[in-house]
Amino acid sequence: MSKDKEYYFNKNDLKQFGNITEFQEQMGKDYFKWYGNVMAEGALTKREKALIALAVAHAIQCPYCIDAYSSDCLSQGSDEEQMMEAVHVAAAIKAGTTLVYGVQMMNHVKEKSM
Amino acid sequence: MAIHQKSKSLTSRGNELSSTFYQLEVLNGHEAIEAKFPRFDEKVGNLGFKPLIASGIEIFQINIGKLCNQTCSHCHVDAGPDRKEEQMSRTDLEKCLAIIAATPTINTVDITGGAPEMNANFRWFVEEVSKMGKKVINRCNLTIIVANHKYLDLPEFFAKHNVNVVSSLPYYSKNRTDAQRGDGVFEDSIKALQMLNAVGYGKEGTGLELDLVYNPTGAFLPGSQVSLEGQFKSQLKRRYDVEFNNLFCITNLPISRFLEYLLESNNYEEYMQQLVDAFNPTTVNGLMCRNTISVSWDGYLYDCDFNQMLDLKVDAENSRHLDDFDLESLNNRTIILNQHCYGCTAGAGSSCGGSIE
Ligand code: SF4
Ligand code: SF4
């Protein structure tokens, strides 16, 4: 087995992302076109979109996306403080969604308790 | 506030990258077998530019000296306070004037350095060029204006001669700016911008043009120029009441001190790959080397300031110095390309006037 295959999340795999068209050409092409349109300057700026992508990357804990959108955020003109705030937003929402289940737990406890 | 430089020039440190030969070796692979990236000239050749030919001379760019009050970590000129000797002489500046006067296609004289204002003949030269009615661009690092009382009247001087001031400001906050350009640079740059604004630069209706240059503060490519310009305008206005006309995004080319940074931070290969991957064929027609001639402090001729720093002189063998300036051979010269050129064709393209697209 080549060294490249010994690990999940090989950094080099990101460079080959474009090759997903190899197994399903049309869907792959459709995705990249749609992705390009989504990330283009629109009602939100490219910079704002890159910050959202960075936050999502942290929420889904995707190492590829974290590298890619950290670079993109820098390119689009965000600074370290803004990027860390975006990560805090992701973390706060994730923490909140865990905590909000506490209500379900409380309801259940109350239902089952005298 | 005094500027505190983080480093010295490659030359004064005796760094091997101060040799242009060594830089070209790094860019091309020390051995042919090591060459990792496709050859730029072949890439451009495949598009039909075989070779890439100049389209004439509209911009006469002069690097009038390597002396600078700053030692920015990305400087492609390897400029700094220690580069005292490399200054264009009055005699060579007179030769430039004669060429500019005799060449009607030249509409812009672009003065760069180092800090051009530190050349003893700078003001005289600007006065002479402006008398000819040509557009004068001065690439001013801003901090020079407040570096010494003798420079404090530069804003008035620029305004008097309607000089287009083009100045680097890598970010609208202190940390990023100072990390690239030296501690204290941001504060002094803002002071200088406010002084330029005070005489009318960057203000609507004055005709006094103040443009800013954004180059990334690390191993990444610049984003959209339009989008960054919007951010810079609103942030500089809100935070410091500073106004300017255009923001030019310039990609850092992998040469000189930026090459040193890439190698030392282990970013060289990834950065080159980014440039290669972002190659944009539609930028080739608009490459600045096609309508520019770049003159070094000692009078040699180059296709651009980057080729100058790699000592890649123009291909016109009979016209490689001010003394032998031959317009016809220069107009049709073949542009000398090398691997650093990938910096000019990445993404939206990059030139001294910002994005190409
Ligand atoms: S980048 Fe400009 S200001 Fe900085 S050291 Fe080089 S010439 Fe001087
Ligand atoms: S570095 Fe850029 S401007 Fe200079 S010759 Fe190469 S492509 Fe042209």
Side-chain angles (χ1 to χ4, degrees):
Chain A
M1 206 189 235
S2 85
K3 219 167 181 212
D4 266 4
K5 289 187 185 153
E6 282 175 19
Y7 306 100
Y8 292 111
F9 291 120
N10 183 335
K11 206 173 170 187
N12 285 326
D13 282 355
L14 180 58
K15 292 181 194 146
Q16 294 171 37
F17 186 25
N19 299 346
I20 61 160
T21 48
E22 194 182 322
F23 282 9
Q24 221 307 354
E25 192 179 355
Q26 196 52 50
M27 288 185 189
K29 280 185 174 167
D30 287 349
Y31 163 75
F32 286 118
K33 190 167 175 240
W34 176 67
Y35 172 86
N37 291 337
V38 168
M39 296 306 285
E41 195 93 358
L44 293 176
T45 63
K46 282 184 169 180
R47 178 176 153 274
E48 289 161 342
K49 289 180 179 180
L51 282 169
I52 295 171
L54 184 73
V56 174
H58 281 78
I60 60 172
Q61 291 166 320
C62 170
Y64 301 125
C65 295
I66 291 172
D67 276 3
Y69 291 104
S70 298
S71 286
D72 198 28
C73 282
L74 289 171
S75 286
Q76 303 304 339
S78 290
D79 65 11
E80 290 84 342
E81 204 181 350
Q82 294 160 353
M83 287 160 69
M84 188 53 91
E85 282 188 20
V87 174
H88 273 283
V89 172
I93 301 300
K94 273 196 99 172
T97 52
T98 303
L99 284 173
V100 79
Y101 280 98
V103 177
Q104 189 181 346
M105 175 271 285
M106 285 164 70
N107 289 342
H108 187 82
V109 167
K110 283 175 187 165
E111 223 176 271
K112 296 288 172 191
S113 307
M114 284 189 275
Chain B
M1 178 178 169
I3 294 172
H4 175 73
Q5 301 299 328
K6 295 185 200 306
S7 181
K8 289 187 167 174
S9 69
L10 295 167
T11 308
S12 72
R13 281 182 276 138
N15 188 299
E16 54 192 350
L17 284 168
S18 60
S19 145
T20 53
F21 180 74
Y22 184 77
Q23 289 187 52
L24 286 166
E25 248 193 11
V26 171
L27 287 167
N28 288 280
H30 295 281
E31 307 282 340
I33 206 163
E34 286 179 36
K36 288 203 171 73
F37 305 103
R39 285 179 55 120
F40 184 81
D41 56 348
E42 285 174 9
K43 193 121 182 162
V44 167
N46 292 339
L47 296 170
F49 298 97
K50 211 181 208 169
L52 182 66
I53 304 281
S55 59
I57 302 178
E58 291 166 45
I59 301 169
F60 193 86
Q61 189 177 60
I62 315 168
N63 194 311
I64 68 172
K66 298 193 180 193
L67 182 61
C68 189
N69 59 319
Q70 294 183 190
T71 324
C72 307
S73 52
H74 71 304
C75 181
H76 74 274
V77 180
D78 195 27
D82 54 293
R83 308 295 302 263
K84 292 193 174 76
E85 305 306 318
E86 294 110 325
Q87 287 292 310
M88 188 176 268
S89 65
R90 176 127 175 171
T91 320
D92 279 347
L93 285 166
E94 274 164 0
K95 290 176 197 162
C96 290
L97 288 173
I99 291 167
I100 297 161
T103 315
T105 56
I106 295 175
N107 52 38
T108 304
V109 177
D110 185 339
I111 309 169
T112 186
E117 304 85 352
M118 292 177 91
N119 183 310
N121 299 298
F122 172 77
R123 293 195 193 214
W124 160 79
F125 184 71
V126 170
E127 281 162 10
E128 292 303 309
V129 179
S130 88
K131 276 187 216 159
M132 291 184 207
K134 308 267 181 184
K135 175 173 178 173
V136 184
I137 294 176
N138 180 50
R139 298 193 181 261
C140 171
N141 71 11
L142 295 174
T143 63
I144 190 69
I145 295 176
V146 293
N148 186 299
H149 67 271
K150 68 180 173 188
Y151 299 122
L152 287 172
D153 65 335
L154 276 171
E156 286 86 2
F157 173 79
F158 293 147
K160 185 171 168 208
H161 299 286
N162 199 17
V163 174
N164 176 184
V165 178
V166 178
S167 295
S168 280
L169 191 73
Y171 204 61
Y172 45 78
S173 71
K174 180 175 158 43
N175 289 359
R176 282 281 180 77
T177 303
D178 288 4
Q180 183 189 71
R181 300 178 74 77
D183 290 337
V185 167
F186 184 74
E187 211 179 304
D188 282 1
S189 300
I190 294 295
K191 265 188 234 155
L193 285 169
Q194 288 165 340
M195 287 164 74
L196 287 161
N197 279 171
V199 300
Y201 268 100
K203 301 271 181 190
E204 232 181 272
T206 60
L208 295 171
E209 200 172 317
L210 170 61
D211 300 319
L212 295 184
V213 169
Y214 163 88
N215 23 26
T217 49
F220 55 93
L221 305 185
S224 139
Q225 184 165 282
V226 179
S227 173
L228 284 162
E229 183 180 284
Q231 285 172 55
F232 268 68
K233 282 200 167 163
S234 61
Q235 295 290 342
L236 286 175
K237 177 76 188 157
R238 187 174 64 80
R239 298 181 191 195
Y240 308 103
D241 198 24
V242 160
E243 290 174 75
F244 67 96
N245 296 96
N246 307 294
L247 182 80
F248 301 146
C249 286
I250 302 189
T251 303
N252 289 311
L253 264 62
I255 65 171
S256 196
R257 295 213 286 262
F258 189 68
L259 179 58
E260 182 195 30
Y261 156 75
L262 289 175
L263 292 169
E264 290 209 330
S265 62
N266 249 331
N267 274 305
Y268 172 69
E269 292 204 0
E270 211 168 304
Y271 188 74
M272 277 306 289
Q273 192 64 56
Q274 271 190 72
L275 295 180
V276 172
D277 290 346
F279 177 78
N280 177 355
T282 63
T283 58
V284 178
N285 233 340
L287 288 172
M288 65 175 172
C289 42
R290 301 197 64 213
N291 69 346
T292 302
I293 198 81
S294 151
V295 190
S296 61
W297 68 273
D298 50 357
Y300 285 97
L301 307 178
Y302 302 84
D303 297 313
C304 71
D305 204 46
F306 302 113
N307 281 9
Q308 182 180 139
M309 299 314 149
L310 289 171
D311 199 23
L312 300 169
K313 295 189 176 71
V314 282
D315 191 44
E317 267 178 44
N318 61 337
S319 182
R320 287 194 169 153
H321 192 273
L322 288 173
D323 291 335
D324 320 302
F325 192 92
D326 178 58
L327 186 61
E328 209 162 309
S329 349
L330 291 169
N331 273 341
N332 302 305
R333 73 189 190 277
T334 294
I335 307 289
I336 307 277
L337 302 170
N338 209 296
Q339 297 304 80
H340 63 297
C341 297
Y342 274 114
C344 296
T345 52
S350 176
S351 73
C352 284
S355 294
I356 294 174
E357 279 191 341

